Amino acid sequence: QKVQEDLNKQLLDNLVSFFSRSHSEFQEKTTEWTCRMKFKEIPTAALVLGVNVTDHDLTFRSLSDFLQNNITPYIAFLEAKDCPGIKNLMQKLMGQLMNCYIDVDSLEDEDYVQVSQNRIRCSMSSLVKWYESVTKQTNSETPSKKRTFSSTHWQSPPVVVIFKDMESFTTKVLQDFVVISSQHIHELPLVLIFGIATSPMIIHRLLPHSVSSLLCIELFQSLSIKDHLSTIIDKLLLTGQFPFKLGGKVLQVLINIFLYHDFSVQNFIKGFQLSIVEHFYSQPLSVLCCQLVDLQKRVNSLSHDQCENIRRLPSFRRYVEKQESGKQVALLTTDNFLKEETQKLLEDLHVYHENYVLVLRCLYVFTSSLPKYPLGKQIRELHCACLENQVWETEEYESSLQLARMLNKSDLVTMLQQCVEILLSSSRKEFDNTVEKLKKFLTQFQNLEAEAFQEQDVSVSSQKEFQKKTDLYHLQKTLLELKESRRSKKLTKFEMLRFEVVDYIDSLVRKYLVPADHRTLHEILYFNTAAVLRGHLNAAPRTALHTALNNPHWYLKNQALKCDGGSISNKAPDICIVYKLHLECGRLINLVDWLEAFSTVVMAGEEPNAETASSDQMDDIIHARFIRAVSELELLGFIKPSKQKTDHVARLTWGGC
Amino acid sequence: MSRLEGPSGGRRRVLQVKFVPDDEVLKHIADDTGIKVRKDKPQPSINLKRFVKKLENISDDEAQEILQEKNYVATLGICAQDPMGNGTGVSGGEVYSFQTPKRSSKMAELASELAHTPERSVSLDHSKGPDKTAKTPQSSNLFLLLMHVFSLQSKKKEFVSTTPYRLRKRLAAPDSYLESESEYSASCSEEEDEEDQQEVSTVLSGQKTPAKTKAAPTHPPRNSLAKKNKEEKMSNPVEEYFEAHSSSKVLTSDRTLQKLQKRRLNQETLHDLLKKVPLAYAAEIKELNQQHESLFSKWMLQLHLGFNIVLYGLGSKHDLLEKFRTSLLQDSVHLVVNGYFPSITVRSILNSITEEVLDHIGTFRSPLDQLEFITKRFKEDSSLKLYVLIHNLDSQMLRGERSQQILAQLSSLPTVYLIASIDHINAPLMWDQAKLSLYNWLWYETTTFSPYVEETSYENSLLVQQSGSLALSSLTHVLRSLTPNARGIFRLLAQYQLEKKDNASYPGLSFQDFYQQCREAFLVNSDLTLRAQLTEFRDHKLIRTKRGADGVEYLLIPVDDSTLTSFLENQDEDV
């Protein structure tokens, strides 16, 4: 569990650093640009952040932190849900600014702040007054007391107001606020920041021209969310730092949720966290999912039961079957031998992963520049493909190799150089050979270049010779010959080399990009139950309800409920019968008819000899059951009482789905 | 209209003609349809021969025959084009298509003319449903179909007299085939016979006797199956939607529960009765529950890791959550919120947190302030842990946007652990992206199939049975404690409302009129006394006032008519 905590922390750090990096450029701009504040216009920054609303929180937090540290202590952070009216907005604004103030110089002035907070009427003028007094104080105090922030802050630091979700503010409030604050811009250096999720057009839609002309808007575009995702994947999955890994299907599910549902990096991370939790919770052997350093210790402390667990892993069984019989017996009977073997295998797995990542990057270098991207534009797609199955057996891989065989030389050379760099970046010795080989290729290419250059010279000179001759027929003939020979000769040399390179890459891929499922003991490090994850993150409550109602057998494993599709079984639970009957109806349902239909269905199942004597009582019971079922359906939202006609209910769903 | 243009040419023809009904002929036919149809039916072949001979002079009898044959042809033509033998389905569809408003009104008119009983106006829309009533509407549909076919015929014969001949030739061969293949039309004609008999003897009264309803069940399954087929055919849900909502007027049978001679059950008897019924599949349900219970420790872990848990699936999750609470939360601070309780509000939830968990005495100006206070307290004191269990997070009272926002913010606190259940099919629509991320849900499917006993017991909306007696007793109770004058005032209002009960758009009695009436009855002497009296009523929720568009105050007793009637009767007895 500890490992996981570390992971989470790292994750957040990554994110924050990433965000602040992506925003630092804005901040620099902002500072410059607030300097040239215009007369009567409020400088405004519009941040276009994209639709992943949930991630904005982090962004803004890092932004305000940054501003706080570097530019101004006066930051107010407004959210639409807190500000239904202009009054609330002002209150909130005042409160936040005052609190800011307390934070900055908490040593004194408590009473002063108290006074101002007690003031019920929060108006702009009071704000201005407050601001003046504060700046005066700081101005007078800064020389005497060296504050940490004073060096970076100016004489009159601007007051920054951040509107977190501009779209959800009511128009009126925004307009009023802008107009009011533009009146006071002389006394109060105000800077607004709008967070925008859709498009910058929204400003003009929300604010009429007369208002928006009071603003001096500059637009900033944040990085696209996809880039965020790739960075995160890069940092989390394609490193050897963390022992925990995601299986192909799980990753696919997470990425799908991201791309098709919410575009939220936060949710992606949530999914990642959940898969970690799930892995550690459900896999008893996840103790071994740790850094290499601890591995020795943990393997040695394995109990007998845990050893049995290892023996039960399917991948381990496959491994055992491949061994010769003596070793098989040893593996299956002696715990100590098993432990040694396990440790070796796990170490292998770690090594495998590191190699995998490196080769994956190399392959990505090749495939990412191919036309039409047969293996995907992003490295994550490539990664998924490689995890899923043996990548070299897929058609896409075939076609991408075909395309790679047609690359021109300069591209090939740069790619090879990139590969060499990537491989050199790792500290492992295993790739020394490979690097050598690649370098050899490079020199060969260079040689080839030189040769080709010479040859060209030759051919050019020979052509000049031809020009002297005037015999047209001869000229043609020799030219043809020349062409043929040149093509066959020169192209073979280059092509051969190119083939060699591609084949070599291919062999690398085959050697290192074996899907993780094929490795022994992969269950320990790789989390692969995608269904669970999907169930928890992307649940389908409607489907569950419909299945339960249409096909109770799915849940209640009773033979009597095996339904034959379509017809109404009288043995089903009451609510299922009522539900099925209601499916047959139109918009309005007559309760009497419904009840009668219900009792027919129910009675059909009961023995007919229950004669009139008990039938009255029977009727009552059926009636009661019907009432219960109907009110349950109402609770579930399938029907609602209708006033259109007496004793009718309206149906709220349609179709047989 | 476009919907009606199916693949079959025959059908289209029928439809085209429908717009030129020959009223005279129709009426003529209408008078003797009942008997004729029955007579003609047994010997179609003879009819055919006769028909060939008398092509020029078509008597009413012939017209009737043609009509019937045409009826076959209509289904037949579709049969022929549909080699799958799915004629039943398509003919159903054809019948169904009559529902467009323009014609359906005419249909209803014609049908009622034919049947003379109000029940006849039942649309087939309804016939799809409850098996019991299937019989009646279908036959009336058949009538409608007949009428249309006949109108086609009547038009045709004006210019092409050979058409019937051709049609008959087509008809002659596959007649037997039709009988077996097209169950629908076959059964229809059988039923038609029955129907006719019934009609001649005018057996049908407004209410079906139980004996008859018990006789029915042999037919319906087949019919409903045929309808099913049809439904599958038009599987496009969008179309089905518009199908269901296209006609502004929805026709269903007029039967009401009151006519059903059965006493209304009240809450207690309902409970007693239900207790007698053994829970079906108890063993399986228990097994399901045990499966869910095995997840408890996992829930606990995940709650502590900052996720919140939401349970969905059919069946009451009340017991499950309760078990979770008793087994795991016994020693920790927890709050159970019964969302299904009709008077629960977010404020009361927040109040119970501030007052009972945080021991804070005092009030807050708004829930937002309160929430802020709670947030601050929880952030200050990280040892403070609170488990919140909410049954039915999607209930009426809690599903509002603001309450969800507040709950979401509450649940996003790291030391507040929320576990909730939802039941409504559209419950996930409550949450937008922002709220979802605040809630940080993990979804768990917990289908229990156990009855919603607690959850539904507070719903008095289910018009069937419950509230009636309760409302009545409370009415009498309150009224008894009032002065005779006040009782008189209420009576006046009630009587007036009953007089106007047929007027659907009755807004209520305007205050001025009411005052006038009260004065005339010597019940009040001034505007003010009446107002004081009304305030008292309003406090007891006996009346409701609302302002009309013209600013006039209208008074209304929010009780259904039947209860009001019985109330007045009771009062009369008392007096």
Side-chain angles (χ1 to χ4, degrees):
Chain A
Q1 304 300 343
K2 227 180 174 183
V3 183
Q4 180 231 326
E5 302 246 311
D6 292 349
L7 259 178
N8 287 353
K9 214 178 279 170
Q10 184 112 21
L11 220 69
L12 279 178
D13 286 350
N14 278 348
L15 249 194
V16 169
S17 69
F18 181 75
F19 278 128
S20 51
R21 219 186 319 127
S22 67
H23 285 291
S24 55
E25 69 231 55
F26 301 152
Q27 271 114 48
E28 270 148 37
K29 266 199 233 163
T30 331
T31 35
E32 281 172 28
W33 152 84
T34 40
C35 297
R36 47 184 174 83
M37 249 189 300
K38 284 190 189 137
F39 180 69
K40 253 248 164 169
E41 285 186 357
I42 312 168
T44 310
L47 282 176
V48 181
L49 290 163
V51 290
N52 50 337
V53 188
T54 45
D55 302 337
H56 295 176
D57 228 1
L58 266 182
T59 319
F60 279 114
R61 214 177 302 149
S62 60
L63 176 66
S64 69
D65 282 351
F66 186 88
L67 288 173
Q68 189 121 40
N69 293 334
N70 295 320
I71 302 168
T72 168
Y74 312 119
I75 294 171
F77 200 72
L78 299 175
E79 282 181 66
K81 60 171 185 281
D82 300 330
C83 314
I86 184 82
K87 199 175 146 206
N88 301 40
L89 189 143
M90 290 306 296
Q91 271 172 2
K92 198 92 191 161
L93 183 65
M94 294 284 286
Q96 287 201 9
L97 286 176
M98 308 292 182
N99 279 340
C100 260
Y101 178 75
I102 303 175
D103 286 346
V104 171
D105 41 5
S106 49
L107 5 155
E108 16 73 76
D109 294 330
E110 285 285 332
D111 47 348
Y112 165 74
V113 177
Q114 290 277 299
V115 171
S116 72
Q117 266 186 341
N118 285 344
R119 231 180 309 165
I120 300 155
R121 273 192 56 80
C122 299
S123 67
M124 210 58 188
S125 52
S126 61
L127 189 66
V128 171
K129 230 181 278 162
W130 162 81
Y131 180 75
E132 274 169 4
S133 66
V134 170
T135 41
K136 228 178 278 160
Q137 267 177 344
T138 31
N139 283 348
S140 58
E141 280 163 11
T142 28
S144 54
K145 296 175 188 174
K146 282 281 178 196
R147 295 259 164 84
T148 44
F149 66 85
S150 58
S151 53
T152 46
H153 293 175
W154 319 316
Q155 284 304 81
S156 56
V159 175
V160 179
V161 182
I162 301 175
F163 292 86
K164 199 184 142 201
D165 37 0
M166 191 195 173
E167 281 97 337
S168 31
F169 277 96
T170 41
T171 328
K172 185 93 177 54
V173 172
L174 264 187
Q175 282 176 19
D176 286 352
F177 181 73
V178 170
V179 171
I180 292 173
S181 48
S182 73
Q183 304 293 322
H184 294 272
I185 192 71
H186 303 290
E187 302 112 80
L188 192 67
L190 205 61
V191 176
L192 305 182
I193 296 180
F194 293 141
I196 294 171
T198 47
S199 80
M201 283 308 293
I202 196 79
I203 298 179
H204 300 287
R205 206 168 311 148
L206 277 179
L207 304 173
H209 183 71
S210 58
V211 178
S212 60
S213 63
L214 294 173
L215 301 172
C216 162
I217 300 173
E218 191 146 328
L219 249 170
F220 301 100
Q221 188 86 36
S222 79
L223 283 176
S224 97
I225 12 181
K226 278 189 196 157
D227 295 344
H228 291 201
L229 183 68
S230 352
T231 351
I232 284 169
I233 288 183
D234 241 26
K235 282 192 173 161
L236 284 178
L237 302 180
L238 303 179
T239 53
Q241 277 178 299
F242 311 117
F244 173 79
K245 277 119 200 158
L246 287 180
K249 281 202 191 101
V250 177
L251 187 60
Q252 199 72 54
V253 166
L254 284 181
I255 289 177
N256 279 350
I257 291 178
F258 177 83
L259 289 180
Y260 299 119
H261 288 270
D262 47 13
F263 282 122
S264 159
V265 175
Q266 228 171 28
N267 277 4
F268 183 82
I269 289 173
K270 176 186 161 193
F272 190 71
Q273 285 170 342
L274 178 66
S275 47
I276 293 172
V277 173
E278 196 67 29
H279 181 71
F280 281 100
Y281 184 80
S282 58
Q283 178 59 262
L285 288 172
S286 54
V287 218
L288 296 179
C289 179
C290 58
Q291 304 286 2
L292 267 179
V293 197
D294 309 332
L295 191 62
Q296 172 95 46
K297 212 166 60 199
R298 296 208 190 177
V299 168
N300 284 336
S301 65
L302 283 181
S303 67
H304 178 72
D305 281 350
Q306 281 168 318
C307 290
E308 282 303 312
N309 272 334
I310 292 180
R311 286 185 189 121
R312 247 175 264 137
L313 290 179
S315 70
F316 187 74
R317 276 202 214 147
R318 251 179 288 150
Y319 173 74
V320 170
E321 275 158 24
K322 273 185 224 149
Q323 310 299 321
E324 67 265 26
S325 57
K327 209 174 170 192
Q328 272 187 8
V329 174
L331 277 175
L332 291 179
T333 48
T334 11
D335 280 354
N336 282 335
F337 186 64
L338 177 81
K339 281 176 189 171
E340 277 170 35
E341 197 67 20
T342 314
Q343 189 172 356
K344 220 167 68 202
L345 284 170
L346 281 176
E347 275 164 13
D348 274 358
L349 207 55
H350 280 274
V351 171
Y352 150 79
H353 184 73
E354 274 174 46
N355 297 343
Y356 170 88
V357 170
L358 290 174
V359 177
L360 185 74
R361 283 181 200 277
C362 290
L363 183 62
Y364 176 63
V365 166
F366 270 87
T367 55
S368 61
S369 58
L370 295 176
K372 281 201 198 158
Y373 309 102
L375 276 171
K377 247 184 208 176
Q378 307 278 348
I379 195 163
R380 59 164 188 264
E381 293 167 57
L382 192 63
H383 182 51
C384 282
C386 292
L387 280 176
E388 204 80 28
N389 39 30
Q390 288 167 327
V391 72
W392 56 87
E393 280 170 3
T394 58
E395 264 177 49
E396 289 86 0
Y397 184 74
E398 251 342 285
S399 65
S400 62
L401 276 194
Q402 291 287 342
L403 288 169
R405 289 198 181 103
M406 281 179 254
L407 284 171
N408 64 13
K409 197 185 63 196
S410 58
D411 283 353
L412 210 54
V413 170
T414 47
M415 279 178 200
L416 282 177
Q417 273 162 350
Q418 278 176 339
C419 290
V420 170
E421 269 167 40
I422 290 170
L423 293 180
L424 280 180
S425 69
S426 86
S427 50
R428 304 199 69 83
K429 289 194 185 95
E430 214 168 310
F431 282 108
D432 286 353
N433 261 340
T434 328
V435 174
E436 288 293 302
K437 183 94 179 169
L438 288 177
K439 276 184 178 159
K440 213 172 81 197
F441 279 133
L442 274 176
T443 49
Q444 272 176 338
F445 271 116
Q446 266 144 22
N447 291 343
L448 206 65
E449 205 169 2
E451 266 174 49
F453 194 65
Q454 283 171 2
E455 212 168 285
Q456 219 173 9
D457 270 358
V458 173
S459 66
V460 167
S461 60
S462 67
Q463 254 176 349
K464 271 175 190 161
E465 270 174 40
F466 282 126
Q467 275 165 0
K468 286 171 196 164
K469 292 180 185 174
T470 47
D471 188 345
L472 202 68
Y473 172 71
H474 270 275
L475 179 73
Q476 213 171 3
K477 204 175 139 194
T478 39
L479 268 178
L480 271 177
E481 270 171 19
L482 193 71
K483 220 181 184 176
E484 222 151 74
S485 67
R486 204 203 295 170
R487 189 201 282 150
S488 55
K489 196 175 141 203
K490 195 177 151 195
L491 288 191
T492 40
K493 235 183 178 179
F494 173 64
E495 212 165 58
M496 262 166 55
L497 200 55
R498 194 161 59 177
F499 271 131
E500 230 171 284
V501 171
V502 173
D503 284 346
Y504 185 68
I505 296 285
D506 187 34
S507 71
L508 273 184
V509 166
R510 277 164 202 266
K511 190 172 169 199
Y512 292 110
L513 291 191
V514 186
D517 304 7
H518 293 234
R519 305 290 305 200
T520 313
L521 293 185
H522 69 90
E523 287 96 337
I524 294 179
L525 300 190
Y526 286 82
F527 175 69
N528 226 342
T529 42
V532 180
L533 204 63
R534 193 197 296 270
H536 291 333
L537 290 179
N538 200 5
R542 266 187 98 126
T543 329
L545 268 182
H546 281 296
T547 335
L549 287 170
N550 277 320
N551 189 6
H553 175 68
W554 183 267
Y555 293 101
L556 304 173
K557 307 283 180 210
N558 192 312
Q559 274 307 311
L561 287 173
K562 269 256 198 256
C563 88
D564 40 345
S567 72
I568 301 165
S569 152
N570 49 40
K571 296 194 188 66
D574 293 345
I575 187 168
C576 300
I577 298 175
V578 171
Y579 170 76
K580 284 203 174 161
L581 287 172
H582 118 284
L583 279 187
E584 311 262 311
C585 292
R587 194 143 56 97
L588 284 180
I589 306 168
N590 186 326
L591 279 171
V592 186
D593 297 339
W594 201 2
L595 169 62
E596 277 185 3
F598 175 73
S599 64
T600 324
V601 172
V602 172
M603 294 298 264
E606 260 129 47
E607 64 280 16
N609 57 12
E611 280 304 307
T612 41
S614 62
S615 82
D616 196 35
Q617 204 194 349
M618 246 349 242
D619 265 3
D620 270 353
I621 289 177
I622 287 175
H623 195 176
R625 280 163 67 185
F626 175 73
I627 292 163
R628 179 173 63 186
V630 169
S631 53
E632 280 173 3
L633 274 193
E634 190 184 350
L635 182 81
L636 293 176
F638 285 100
I639 51 167
K640 70 163 194 222
S642 148
K643 286 264 159 62
Q644 277 183 32
K645 227 169 163 188
T646 44
D647 292 333
H648 275 62
V649 288
R651 206 180 141 183
L652 296 178
T653 54
W654 71 93
C657 57
Chain B
M1 275 301 107
S2 62
R3 178 162 59 80
L4 299 175
E5 289 176 1
S8 99
R11 208 207 292 185
R12 197 174 299 147
R13 215 166 18 166
V14 173
L15 292 174
Q16 280 164 0
V17 186
K18 259 184 266 171
F19 291 104
V20 249
D22 192 341
D23 275 344
E24 257 192 357
V25 187
L26 276 181
K27 268 201 183 123
H28 189 59
I29 297 300
D31 290 336
D32 51 6
T33 314
I35 307 136
K36 294 286 156 61
V37 174
R38 195 154 31 105
K39 235 202 312 192
D40 298 337
K41 216 224 153 194
Q43 327 112 314
S45 54
I46 300 168
N47 287 341
L48 299 185
K49 272 181 206 159
R50 251 199 300 162
F51 197 73
V52 180
K53 281 175 201 160
K54 297 184 192 170
L55 262 180
E56 267 92 353
N57 88 17
I58 298 172
S59 71
D60 287 348
D61 262 6
E62 263 83 22
Q64 190 53 52
E65 286 159 27
I66 295 163
L67 145 70
Q68 215 192 354
E69 284 155 13
K70 268 285 208 172
N71 185 14
Y72 277 115
V73 171
T75 44
L76 188 73
I78 297 149
C79 274
Q81 278 174 5
D82 195 352
M84 303 299 286
N86 212 346
T88 58
V90 185
S91 73
E94 194 178 351
V95 173
Y96 196 66
S97 68
F98 285 0
Q99 245 201 328
T100 37
K102 196 170 180 184
R103 262 156 306 127
S104 73
S105 59
K106 182 149 260 161
M107 279 318 91
E109 197 184 295
L110 286 173
S112 59
E113 202 178 303
L114 276 175
H116 299 296
T117 57
E119 215 179 276
R120 274 308 133 79
S121 63
V122 171
S123 98
L124 78 146
D125 184 22
H126 192 247
S127 77
K128 272 172 66 189
D131 302 349
K132 260 348 169 8
T133 47
K135 219 171 76 178
T136 331
Q138 249 167 30
S139 40
S140 71
N141 284 329
L142 192 69
F143 272 123
L144 303 184
L145 187 60
L146 291 178
M147 299 316 294
H148 280 298
V149 173
F150 184 71
S151 67
L152 160 77
Q153 182 57 41
S154 63
K155 190 199 168 196
K156 277 267 155 67
K157 82 185 165 201
E158 283 171 21
F159 47 97
V160 203
S161 56
T162 52
T163 317
Y165 185 65
R166 201 158 35 101
L167 285 172
R168 251 177 308 108
K169 275 211 289 195
R170 258 209 290 172
L171 167 73
D175 195 25
S176 59
Y177 159 80
L178 173 77
E179 289 285 328
S180 60
E181 197 77 34
S182 160
E183 286 169 348
Y184 177 67
S185 64
S187 70
C188 268
S189 28
E190 279 164 32
E191 279 175 16
E192 186 191 338
D193 278 1
E194 291 171 18
E195 185 59 39
D196 291 335
Q197 281 160 6
Q198 283 169 2
E199 204 176 85
V200 170
S201 53
T202 57
V203 168
L204 280 177
S205 63
Q207 192 185 346
K208 286 200 169 186
T209 59
K212 225 174 82 194
T213 55
K214 274 193 183 134
T218 45
H219 291 300
R222 191 195 270 170
N223 284 336
S224 74
L225 243 162
K227 297 289 182 188
K228 266 250 165 68
N229 275 346
K230 196 212 78 196
E231 244 179 26
E232 275 161 19
K233 275 192 95 175
M234 16 189 294
S235 58
N236 189 351
V238 181
E239 263 176 41
E240 272 182 61
Y241 177 80
F242 286 111
E243 190 96 23
H245 291 256
S246 56
S247 57
S248 57
K249 202 172 158 201
V250 180
L251 297 171
T252 48
S253 78
D254 280 334
R255 307 194 299 165
T256 59
L257 287 169
Q258 286 206 311
K259 286 185 192 157
L260 204 69
Q261 277 148 8
K262 196 169 277 179
R263 66 202 163 85
R264 298 199 151 210
L265 304 170
N266 59 27
Q267 191 74 43
E268 283 112 71
T269 42
L270 184 71
H271 255 287
D272 293 345
L273 281 172
L274 284 179
K275 248 179 224 161
K276 281 185 215 156
V277 184
L279 190 60
Y281 305 110
E284 283 85 358
I285 289 175
K286 206 175 160 201
E287 200 170 303
L288 263 180
N289 276 331
Q290 267 162 4
Q291 264 176 36
H292 300 319
E293 279 158 29
S294 66
L295 292 171
F296 279 175
S297 58
K298 195 168 171 184
W299 291 355
M300 217 40 195
L301 173 72
Q302 286 172 342
L303 283 175
H304 278 274
L305 287 172
F307 297 104
N308 291 311
I309 286 176
V310 63
L311 310 176
Y312 64 92
L314 182 68
S316 170
K317 290 162 278 288
H318 188 269
D319 293 342
L320 191 67
L321 280 179
E322 201 55 23
K323 211 166 211 171
F324 176 71
R325 188 180 74 85
T326 46
S327 61
L328 286 176
L329 299 182
Q330 217 43 274
D331 304 325
S332 42
V333 186
H334 58 262
L335 174 73
V336 180
V337 178
N338 294 326
Y340 49 81
F341 198 70
S343 63
I344 192 102
T345 57
V346 180
R347 187 173 270 257
S348 57
I349 297 174
L350 291 178
N351 275 341
S352 52
I353 292 178
T354 47
E355 279 160 26
E356 275 152 49
V357 181
L358 302 177
D359 291 324
H360 174 88
I361 300 150
T363 51
F364 295 90
R365 258 184 304 155
S366 74
L368 279 177
D369 289 347
Q370 202 164 1
L371 182 70
E372 216 164 281
F373 173 78
I374 293 170
T375 318
K376 221 167 102 193
R377 284 293 299 272
F378 273 101
K379 277 194 177 143
E380 276 168 11
D381 187 359
S382 60
S383 66
L384 210 54
K385 285 186 168 59
L386 175 65
Y387 295 86
V388 183
L389 282 88
I390 303 184
H391 302 291
N392 291 75
L393 186 60
D394 53 349
S395 65
Q396 287 289 347
M397 293 306 292
L398 298 181
R399 65 174 70 145
E401 204 262 329
R402 293 190 66 87
S403 15
Q404 286 296 328
Q405 177 72 45
I406 287 170
L407 286 177
Q409 275 174 296
L410 189 66
S411 73
S412 68
L413 292 175
T415 48
V416 172
Y417 312 113
L418 176 68
I419 178 163
S421 68
I422 57 169
D423 287 301
H424 199 279
I425 37 166
N426 292 328
L429 299 182
M430 291 190 295
W431 303 311
D432 57 15
Q433 286 288 341
K435 287 197 199 77
L436 276 179
S437 79
L438 280 176
Y439 271 125
N440 206 9
W441 288 130
L442 285 187
W443 298 77
Y444 275 90
E445 183 181 332
T446 52
T447 303
T448 60
F449 271 101
S450 36
Y452 292 98
V453 181
E454 296 282 322
E455 288 90 332
T456 52
S457 63
Y458 291 103
E459 252 174 64
N460 58 356
S461 49
L462 213 257
L463 12 113
V464 196
Q465 295 72 18
Q466 331 179 333
S467 51
S469 63
L470 205 74
L472 185 60
S473 68
S474 65
L475 263 186
T476 22
H477 200 74
V478 172
L479 261 284
R480 221 167 261 160
S481 65
L482 292 176
T483 61
N485 262 7
R487 260 180 262 168
I489 294 173
F490 191 77
R491 261 185 84 89
L492 260 182
L493 189 59
Q495 272 162 354
Y496 188 78
Q497 184 162 338
L498 277 182
E499 277 165 28
K500 293 283 159 87
K501 71 178 169 188
D502 296 331
N503 183 2
S505 59
Y506 166 68
L509 181 56
S510 74
F511 180 77
Q512 282 310 320
D513 292 349
F514 190 39
Y515 175 57
Q516 210 57 44
Q517 285 185 24
C518 289
R519 268 181 77 102
E520 281 160 17
F522 300 110
L523 288 170
V524 293
N525 53 7
S526 81
D527 193 332
L528 278 178
T529 27
L530 180 58
R531 279 214 184 272
Q533 203 53 255
L534 288 181
T535 317
E536 191 163 348
F537 287 156
R538 203 178 305 143
D539 290 345
H540 285 105
K541 297 207 168 63
L542 289 182
I543 60 164
R544 223 174 24 209
T545 56
K546 61 180 177 193
R547 292 214 178 268
D550 45 356
V552 184
E553 206 173 343
Y554 288 106
L555 309 169
L556 200 65
I557 305 175
V559 179
D560 58 81
D561 297 335
S562 53
T563 318
L564 212 56
T565 324
S566 44
F567 163 72
L568 283 181
E569 280 162 12
N570 280 358
Q571 287 282 299
D572 288 339
E573 281 167 22
D574 284 358
V575 171

